[in-house]
Amino acid sequence: AMLHCAGGGCGGVSSRTKAVAIAGRMARETSRALRLVEGAWDVAAVEAIRFASEDDTDHGRRTLGMAGMELITCMMSNVMSGDVQLQVARGFSKARGFQALRGLAGVPGGLMRARILAAFKALLDGCGSSSDRETLVDNIVPAIKMDLLNASTPKERTRAAASLGVIAQAQQELRAQLLGNTAVLGALVALLGSEHPASVRTAASGALAVLAAKKEGALKIVDAGAADGLLFVTLDGSAAERAAAGVAMAKLSALNEDARELFVEHGGVAILLDIAVKGAASGDGDEAHVEEGEDASLAT
């Protein structure tokens, strides 16, 4: 009966959300998690996420999508069987679940991004060291590249950049592949331009901050021309833009001498202090998509 409700057989979105949320709580127990997978609840989770991605402006759909992410994360984390985890991950990929997660990454709010990251990591980790994991990673990077290069509206560009920022945190191999793709870095740098609205520049800055986790990555980002673009955003942008760009620039400065010299030359310390003061006053901190540390949680 619960599965029937999760599929929309009991009425509206609220009934679906309640059923999926109850299943998510049950999946926190190992014995129940396995029974839920056997009962096809992994399919219900994918359907909930896909339904939410079809209209990310609808609050009810977004809530259902987050319940689906929580369910798939709990099942992957608590099913103590590598074969079953691999089965769920394969099914999720085949049902275009990863595409749905990417589509929701641009939705404002730390909780949504945290749920996406948790689901993404659980699914990838569930593949273990198998070739399936490598296949999933190899398929994700070209998809992100196409999202960035084909985006034609501010909303699509914001979603693509924010998606990259979330997914880059899920796995070191993913981040390395993204950093090794000059087209991806070039597209992100281009989104820092003044012709783009605040939401786009904020998302692009946040993605670059995530990618700038190590010296090698920082060097590639600087070589792509990001330092100049980020510096411009810190000097001329909204509170959210300046916060996201300021963190990215600070991370680059800590890891790359050229970026550090550029930032110091233009008053980097004063810029960061000004961003901190104005950001606290405006209360825009969450929308900056700021990350602290290589493996920081997105939840705020």
Side-chain angles (χ1 to χ4, degrees):
M2 273 182 54
L3 189 60
H4 178 67
C5 288
C10 295
V13 176
S14 61
S15 297
R16 294 184 65 179
T17 302
K18 183 177 181 179
V20 174
I22 291 173
R25 289 194 291 271
M26 293 172 61
R28 295 171 187 172
E29 299 179 20
T30 300
S31 59
R32 288 185 170 184
L34 182 57
R35 289 201 296 270
L36 286 168
V37 173
E38 292 172 345
W41 275 94
D42 54 326
V43 177
V46 177
E47 290 176 349
I49 298 168
R50 288 177 56 188
F51 183 74
S53 69
E54 291 171 2
D55 182 6
D56 61 18
T57 63
D58 185 279
H59 176 74
R61 286 182 180 237
R62 292 200 304 268
T63 304
L64 173 60
M66 286 195 288
M69 294 172 207
E70 178 74 5
L71 173 56
I72 201 76
T73 301
C74 288
M75 285 192 294
M76 290 297 294
S77 301
N78 296 315
V79 172
M80 300 304 170
S81 168
D83 290 341
V84 176
Q85 288 176 319
L86 186 56
Q87 170 195 325
V88 173
R90 284 175 173 172
F92 191 87
S93 178
K94 187 175 182 180
R96 301 175 69 82
F98 285 108
Q99 181 178 351
L101 285 178
R102 295 203 316 273
L104 289 168
V107 175
L111 181 58
M112 173 66 83
R113 297 191 295 276
R115 291 282 177 87
I116 292 171
L117 177 59
F120 212 97
K121 291 184 70 171
L123 286 158
L124 287 177
D125 291 346
C127 292
S129 57
S130 68
S131 59
D132 290 80
R133 181 174 179 174
E134 296 176 3
T135 300
L136 286 176
V137 172
D138 290 342
N139 288 338
I140 290 167
V141 174
I144 293 174
K145 176 182 175 180
M146 294 305 296
D147 286 346
L148 276 173
L149 297 181
N150 292 338
S152 59
T153 66
K155 182 175 181 178
E156 290 176 351
R157 295 185 181 106
T158 300
R159 180 184 296 162
S163 172
L164 187 153
V166 173
I167 291 171
Q169 295 180 87
Q171 194 181 59
Q172 184 174 343
E173 291 92 329
L174 268 173
R175 188 161 54 243
Q177 286 203 31
L178 290 167
L179 283 165
N181 195 307
T182 56
V184 168
L185 289 180
L188 279 178
V189 172
L191 294 182
L192 298 173
S194 58
E195 69 274 18
H196 296 294
S199 61
V200 174
R201 299 203 296 179
T202 300
S205 297
L208 288 167
V210 173
L211 291 173
K214 295 183 179 181
K215 286 186 176 181
E216 296 81 359
L219 177 60
K220 291 179 180 179
I221 293 170
V222 171
D223 286 345
D228 288 326
L230 288 168
L231 179 62
F232 175 78
V233 177
T234 64
L235 295 170
D236 179 32
S238 66
E241 291 176 85
R242 298 183 69 216
V247 170
M249 195 65 192
K251 292 182 72 174
L252 287 179
S253 299
L255 296 168
N256 183 272
E257 185 176 349
D258 291 337
R260 181 163 56 251
E261 290 180 357
L262 177 67
F263 202 34
V264 171
E265 179 183 347
H266 289 82
V269 175
I271 290 172
L272 291 178
L273 286 173
D274 184 59
I275 289 171
V277 171
K278 292 182 177 178
S282 66
D284 284 343
D286 179 63
E287 296 311 313
H289 297 203
V290 173
E291 317 302 337
E292 294 183 4
E294 184 174 344
D295 296 314
S297 169
L298 283 172
T300 58

